[in-house]
Amino acid sequence: GMPIAAMRAFIFGFLCFINKKFLHKKFHTLNLLSITMSIFFFINPYIVYSLSFVFTFLMTFVIVLLNSFANLKYKKIKMIIFT
């Protein structure tokens, strides 16, 4: 089958696309990542023992979290400069 990271990227990307185009960013990216993880658990509950599963979701979680913090910091700086 497909590698776990590729399947995660496809499902997560598809959910992000649907969220942006049709749901007007109703869900936060971390929620979409959780939904993606739930899909994997539904298909195969034993996937949690796979290191590639753990690493791909852990790294994606860290990237999304850091991106969220960077956006918050950017908004604060922008507010200070332009007010």
Side-chain angles (χ1 to χ4, degrees):
M2 273 175 70
I4 293 172
M7 287 182 9
R8 190 254 331 131
F10 175 77
I11 294 170
F12 184 59
F14 180 73
L15 290 176
C16 288
F17 172 77
I18 295 297
N19 189 43
K20 184 177 180 182
K21 286 288 185 182
F22 301 109
L23 302 176
H24 308 290
K25 295 185 180 181
K26 182 178 179 182
F27 297 102
H28 189 272
T29 311
L30 288 176
N31 293 342
L32 298 176
L33 187 63
S34 298
I35 293 169
T36 305
M37 190 181 294
S38 299
I39 291 170
F40 274 85
F41 284 140
F42 181 74
I43 294 170
N44 180 7
Y46 297 105
I47 202 163
V48 72
Y49 298 114
S50 168
L51 282 180
S52 60
F53 172 82
V54 172
F55 286 142
T56 190
F57 277 96
L58 180 64
M59 289 293 97
T60 306
F61 175 77
V62 168
I63 291 169
V64 169
L65 205 61
L66 289 175
N67 189 35
S68 295
F69 285 137
N71 285 340
L72 284 176
K73 196 168 196 167
Y74 174 73
K75 286 179 184 178
K76 283 184 180 180
I77 292 171
K78 188 176 170 184
M79 188 176 73
I80 291 170
I81 292 174
F82 294 112
T83 352

